Each structure stands twice: as C-alpha cells, then as structure tokens.
Amino acid sequence: MTLRELLRLPPGEPVDLAGYDARATPGAPDGKEAAQADRERMARRLAGLQERLWAAGTAGDHRRVLLVLQGMDTSGKGGTVKHVIGQLNPSGCRIHAFKAPTEEERAHDFLWRVRRVLPEPGEIGIFDRSHYEDVLIARVRQLAPPAEIGSRHGLINDFERELAEDGVTLVKCFLHLSYEEQKRRLLRRLDRPDKHWKFHPSDIDERALWPAYQEAYELALERCAAPHAPWYLVPADRKWYRNWAVSRLLLEHLRELDPRYPEAGFDVAESRERLLKQA
Amino acid sequence: MTLRELLRLPPGEPVDLAGYDARATPGAPDGKEAAQADRERMARRLAGLQERLWAAGTAGDHRRVLLVLQGMDTSGKGGTVKHVIGQLNPSGCRIHAFKAPTEEERAHDFLWRVRRVLPEPGEIGIFDRSHYEDVLIARVRQLAPPAEIGSRHGLINDFERELAEDGVTLVKCFLHLSYEEQKRRLLRRLDRPDKHWKFHPSDIDERALWPAYQEAYELALERCAAPHAPWYLVPADRKWYRNWAVSRLLLEHLRELDPRYPEAGFDVAESRERLLKQA
C-alpha cells in the first residue's frame, strides 16, 4: 500500500480529527534512525526526479507540483521546508510563506495573492500556509462575513480544479499536531532565548481557540478534497515521522508524474562537429 | 588572510583576465576531499548564521545578503546554487535566475526587473546572472545603443550604493572559467542525452564571441567595483574549489555581519504562566 493511500482523507466524508493519533507513524520504517536513512535514499531519488521535471519544463511540459503545508502553530510547517525541501535543488523550488494579508492583498479577492506565487512549469512550489487560511483563521476570527467565508470552500474547489487542469499536481498536507504537543513546543520556545523570536504572546490566544480551529480544519478537509486534490493527514507530533512522510508523499507523486528528459531539439552530431572545429 | 582579501579584485584597477589561472585554488584546503569536509563544517556555521540573520530580520534588522553569480556559459552558476545554496534553509533564500528580458521587462529601464526580486530583510538573495547581463551580452550583441550601454556602469554603481546603504551586503562572484574547460563541458553536454536539455546550438555562437565577452567582463569588473560592492574572482575550472570558495565567501561576510537573535519583545515569565494555566 502506498503512503498516499494510507494518509489520504476520503474526499467528501466528515472528518473527526480527535479520531487520529498525532503520535502515530503509519507506513514508516521501524523507528527514527531507519526513517532518517530512508530519507537519505529518497533524497537522491527526489533530486533525480526534480531535475527531470525541470528539464521537461524547459521543453514545454507544463507540469509542476504544489506542496501545501497547513497545520496549527508549531506543527512544523517551517521545519518541513527546512528538512524536506532542503534536500532538493533550490533552483527548482518556489517557496512562499503566507502571512496576514497586506492592505494591497485585502483589496483583492482572497485568491489573488495565491495566483501570483504559483509554481511555474517544471518547478516544485511550496506553500507554508496557503489560501486555506481564508477558511481557517478567517472563520475562527470572523475576518469576513459568514456568508462570504462559507462561499470560499466552493471557490477553492474551483481554483484547485483549474490548477489541476493546468498541470499542477497538488499535494496538500495537514500536519496533525496534538494539543499537548503544542504546549510542549510553545514552552520550549519560551525556555530558549534563541527561540524567543519564534514566539508571540498572541500564540496563546490562538491556542485558546483550539476547538474552533479544529472544527474549521475538519470542515475544510471535508469540503475541499477531490480526487485531483486530496488532503493527506500527516501525524506531526514526531518530527522524524512528519519529515519522512512528506518526503515519501512527494516521491510517490513525482514517480507517478514520471517526467522525462526531453529529446534534443537540435542535431547533436552537427553541434559536436561545429564545437570541435572551434580553436 | 581571509579569502575575501585573496579573491577581491582591487576596485578601479584594470583587469586582465588572461592573467588569472582558472584552475588555481587560492586559499583552499589541501585537495578535493579536504575541501568537501571543510564545506560540511562550514554548512553548519552558515545555517546558524542564516537563522540568526532571519531572526534579526523579524525584529526590524534590515540587513540581508545578495550573492551575485556571473560567468560564461557552463561556468557553474547553477551548480553553485545547487551545492552551496542547497546547504542553507530554503525558506530564507530568494533565488532568481535572469533570462533574456521579456517584452514587459524591456519596456522598463534595465534595473526595473532587478528591483522586483531583491532579498527582503533577513534573507539571502541569490542572482543567477543579474543586472550585469546588461553590460555583458547587451554590449557584445549590441542590444542597445553604445552610449546607453556605456552609461549603465554608472547606473549600476549608483544602484549598488543605494542597496548597500539600505542594508544589503553584496557578494559579487565572477566564476572564472577557461576557454578550454568550457569546450570540455559543452562536449560533455552533447555526449550525454540527459544533458542535452542544457545545450543549445547558440551556445557555440556565444563561444565564438569569447574575446568580446572577456573584454566586456574586464570592463565591468574594473568599473563596477567599490569597497561596499567589490568583485571576487573565483577560479571555476575545478568545481570543488568553486563551491568551497563561494561557501567560504558567504561565511566570511555573514560572520562580519554577526546577526543576533533579537531580545524577546514580551514578558517571557508572564507568557509561560499564561500557557501553563491553559488546560
């Protein structure tokens, strides 16, 4: 069984996050060390596939990948970029971390800023947070009228269908963290002066809204999933598992894409001859 | 002696590229393996400094780094990004590869497209080619009137002074490749079907203009160098040296910047107490 099948939430079915153990390690090699070793092996295969995807992109292949990382504070979105994406060739990665929208961004529809940072053909795009914030914090914090927020699930589905039809392989990962582990991670940020910059007192206010966030996630995971854009629930209490699982999901998707080096669009023998004739 | 001092071209002095051995390895550890090992050690220090630069950036420190990579075809600009920048946290890197300008870009002054992709505070920007193309290929291929091209050295100097005053540390590397090594590398691209996509017959036409390109580089290296924006001449016939030298130059610059984790802008004890009170 592939990891995609193991972690994929069935599109359209209600999701009960309390039913998923955030410390689970479905499909993983036996323990942390084995998973790290497997990740090293995967890194080489990922790099090879990434180069082929890029090469194909230079010859008109429109396909690209978009990894969407969502999860509560401290669930490890940044850590995933560092450890998983850090194993790829940075030239072919287009990373965007979404913050609170700027005034200019707020003046447009919520997908406007997303469309501007999509991966180009051949690239692997990475969203650290995404358009889903507009049905998560926007819902919990009531940043827009309820009817407008309610309409966004449908708009997201239209948008993602459009992306898929345009050659984008969506890999949407929900990093599933437990309430207890979040507390440990926030306390660690407070305990270490070199982590204080990652902390803001408002993180505690957000944490107080945990049940509302879980509900907003459950709704998004149920409503915004489709065969071409499923959600993967990645248990995230164990960092080594989270890194292994996202690497594995990327690898499975890239393998299925099976990008190929393009054929030479020129006469190789003739070019060699011309080159050899030069002094 | 630092590598910066070893590789720095003296600002304002005429440059004779023929006088520099592209196979040289100034300042390097003894041989390829020792250099690789040193690069692993440097990678950890680079990652630490990068995180501090980023952390400082979140607290109002405007400083950032801009690595400019220039050099003839096959000199290893892309390889440097892959191997050197690939050791950093991709979240803090903003990479841009400059291609032939688009119609929109050509409708603006030549620095317009450059200003749009500059690193933000805390980031390390990487230019694979740069605004220097506008005094290199533009000069050799006469893509603009001579007087206009002639004026660009001064405009580049003004631009780079402005950047330096705005907190940008410029690390400009000229990857110095020999004419013979370029031939070997182009032939290798022709010999391997998985490298054909990197080759275009026009590469041979460009190579035929080698002397004109060297002259355009000499002029740029002489005219567009300043104490705040010097050029480093990195011998690039040996890939391991090129990677080691660029890593080392980045490390020396980041060390001098000496970015610091910011002080907590909140009451740590109070936050801890509030957090512990939550269920």
Side-chain angles (χ1 to χ4, degrees):
Chain A
M1 197 181 220
T2 64
L3 192 66
R4 288 165 67 176
E5 292 168 302
L6 266 177
L7 300 186
R8 186 167 161 275
L9 292 169
E13 288 182 25
V15 178
D16 176 17
L17 287 177
Y20 291 93
D21 179 3
R23 290 184 64 77
T25 60
D30 191 18
K32 185 173 173 175
E33 280 69 35
Q36 303 281 37
D38 194 42
R39 243 161 49 72
E40 290 305 316
R41 279 189 296 274
M42 286 197 285
R44 287 190 292 276
R45 286 189 254 163
L46 277 168
L49 285 160
Q50 184 196 14
E51 181 170 287
R52 297 222 299 262
L53 184 71
W54 177 267
T58 65
D61 189 333
H62 260 61
R63 293 179 301 168
R64 42 237 152 112
V65 171
L66 177 57
L67 176 69
V68 173
L69 298 172
Q70 282 288 163
M72 299 295 287
D73 280 346
T74 77
S75 61
K77 300 177 290 292
T80 304
V81 176
K82 180 174 178 178
H83 296 288
V84 176
I85 304 307
Q87 291 185 314
L88 300 176
N89 183 338
S91 286
C93 298
R94 187 175 297 255
I95 303 169
H96 192 81
F98 288 86
K99 312 282 178 197
T102 63
E103 202 175 327
E104 186 191 17
E105 289 168 349
R106 282 199 309 271
H108 294 82
D109 78 282
F110 75 103
L111 292 171
W112 179 77
R113 65 174 185 162
V114 181
R115 293 182 186 276
R116 307 177 77 200
V117 291
L118 290 169
E120 300 285 324
E123 290 183 339
I124 297 178
I126 299 96
F127 282 179
D128 174 344
R129 304 184 187 271
S130 67
H131 43 292
Y132 281 96
E133 292 298 320
D134 295 286
V135 292
L136 295 167
I137 189 170
R139 182 185 174 89
V140 173
R141 291 285 188 183
Q142 300 173 3
L143 303 179
E148 188 182 327
I149 292 174
S151 73
R152 287 180 182 167
H153 291 119
L155 293 169
I156 288 176
N157 286 336
D158 293 344
F159 173 60
E160 294 186 351
R161 184 175 310 110
E162 183 194 315
L163 292 182
E165 284 168 1
D166 201 29
V168 178
T169 293
L170 282 149
V171 184
K172 301 189 295 186
C173 296
F174 169 61
L175 306 183
H176 179 48
L177 190 75
S178 70
Y179 187 66
E180 298 70 35
E181 179 65 16
Q182 190 192 52
K183 187 176 210 166
R184 274 190 289 274
R185 292 186 184 181
L186 287 173
L187 281 172
R188 207 172 308 142
R189 288 185 179 178
L190 288 171
D191 288 340
R192 291 181 48 176
D194 63 335
K195 300 282 183 202
H196 285 168
W197 65 278
K198 291 188 173 189
F199 186 91
H200 192 277
S202 66
D203 297 345
I204 304 176
D205 307 322
E206 289 293 292
R207 177 170 161 77
L209 298 170
W210 184 278
Y213 272 105
Q214 297 295 296
E215 204 183 295
Y217 265 112
E218 287 172 344
L219 215 56
L221 297 172
E222 175 188 339
R223 294 196 186 160
C224 298
H228 58 267
W231 272 105
Y232 300 105
L233 185 144
V234 177
D237 273 15
R238 301 180 199 257
K239 295 177 182 176
W240 66 263
Y241 178 76
R242 174 202 76 205
N243 290 339
W244 177 83
V246 178
S247 292
R248 180 79 212 172
L249 288 171
L250 272 180
L251 181 61
E252 289 181 1
H253 280 280
L254 280 164
R255 269 190 183 160
E256 188 181 79
L257 285 177
D258 192 22
R260 302 296 176 102
Y261 287 113
E263 299 280 318
F266 56 92
D267 185 327
V268 177
E270 186 195 34
S271 280
R272 186 184 285 110
E273 203 176 327
R274 274 182 69 208
L275 187 55
L276 287 169
K277 268 191 201 145
Q278 276 183 341
Chain B
M1 195 180 223
T2 63
L3 192 66
R4 289 166 65 176
E5 292 167 304
L6 265 177
L7 300 186
R8 187 167 161 274
L9 292 169
E13 288 181 27
V15 179
D16 176 18
L17 287 177
Y20 291 92
D21 180 3
R23 290 184 62 77
T25 60
D30 192 19
K32 184 173 172 175
E33 280 70 34
Q36 303 281 37
D38 195 42
R39 242 163 48 73
E40 289 305 315
R41 279 190 295 275
M42 286 196 286
R44 287 190 292 275
R45 286 189 254 163
L46 277 167
L49 286 159
Q50 183 195 13
E51 181 170 287
R52 297 221 299 261
L53 184 71
W54 177 267
T58 65
D61 189 334
H62 260 61
R63 294 179 302 168
R64 42 240 154 109
V65 171
L66 177 57
L67 176 69
V68 173
L69 298 172
Q70 282 288 163
M72 299 294 288
D73 279 346
T74 77
S75 62
K77 300 177 290 293
T80 304
V81 175
K82 181 174 177 178
H83 296 288
V84 177
I85 304 307
Q87 291 185 314
L88 300 176
N89 184 339
S91 286
C93 298
R94 188 175 296 254
I95 303 169
H96 192 80
F98 288 87
K99 312 283 179 197
T102 63
E103 204 175 326
E104 188 190 16
E105 288 169 351
R106 282 199 310 272
H108 293 82
D109 78 282
F110 76 102
L111 292 171
W112 179 78
R113 65 173 184 161
V114 181
R115 293 181 186 277
R116 307 177 77 200
V117 291
L118 290 169
E120 300 286 324
E123 291 184 339
I124 298 178
I126 300 97
F127 282 180
D128 173 345
R129 302 185 188 271
S130 67
H131 43 293
Y132 282 96
E133 292 298 319
D134 296 287
V135 293
L136 295 166
I137 189 170
R139 182 185 174 89
V140 172
R141 291 285 188 183
Q142 299 173 5
L143 303 179
E148 188 183 325
I149 292 173
S151 73
R152 288 182 182 166
H153 291 119
L155 293 168
I156 288 176
N157 286 337
D158 293 345
F159 174 59
E160 293 185 352
R161 183 175 311 109
E162 184 194 314
L163 291 183
E165 284 167 2
D166 200 29
V168 178
T169 293
L170 281 148
V171 184
K172 301 189 295 185
C173 296
F174 170 60
L175 307 183
H176 178 49
L177 190 75
S178 70
Y179 186 66
E180 297 70 33
E181 178 64 17
Q182 190 192 52
K183 186 177 210 164
R184 274 190 289 273
R185 293 187 183 180
L186 287 174
L187 281 172
R188 208 171 307 143
R189 288 186 180 178
L190 288 172
D191 288 342
R192 290 181 47 176
D194 63 335
K195 301 281 182 203
H196 285 167
W197 65 278
K198 292 188 173 189
F199 187 91
H200 192 277
S202 65
D203 296 344
I204 304 177
D205 307 322
E206 289 294 291
R207 178 170 160 78
L209 298 170
W210 184 277
Y213 271 105
Q214 297 295 296
E215 204 182 295
Y217 265 113
E218 287 172 344
L219 215 57
L221 297 172
E222 175 188 340
R223 293 196 185 161
C224 297
H228 58 266
W231 272 106
Y232 300 103
L233 185 144
V234 178
D237 272 16
R238 299 179 200 258
K239 294 176 182 176
W240 66 262
Y241 177 76
R242 174 203 76 204
N243 289 339
W244 177 83
V246 177
S247 292
R248 179 79 212 171
L249 287 171
L250 272 180
L251 182 60
E252 289 181 1
H253 280 279
L254 280 165
R255 270 192 183 155
E256 188 181 81
L257 284 177
D258 193 22
R260 301 296 177 102
Y261 286 114
E263 300 279 319
F266 57 92
D267 185 328
V268 177
E270 186 196 34
S271 280
R272 185 183 285 111
E273 204 175 329
R274 273 182 69 207
L275 187 54
L276 287 169
K277 269 192 201 147
Q278 277 183 341

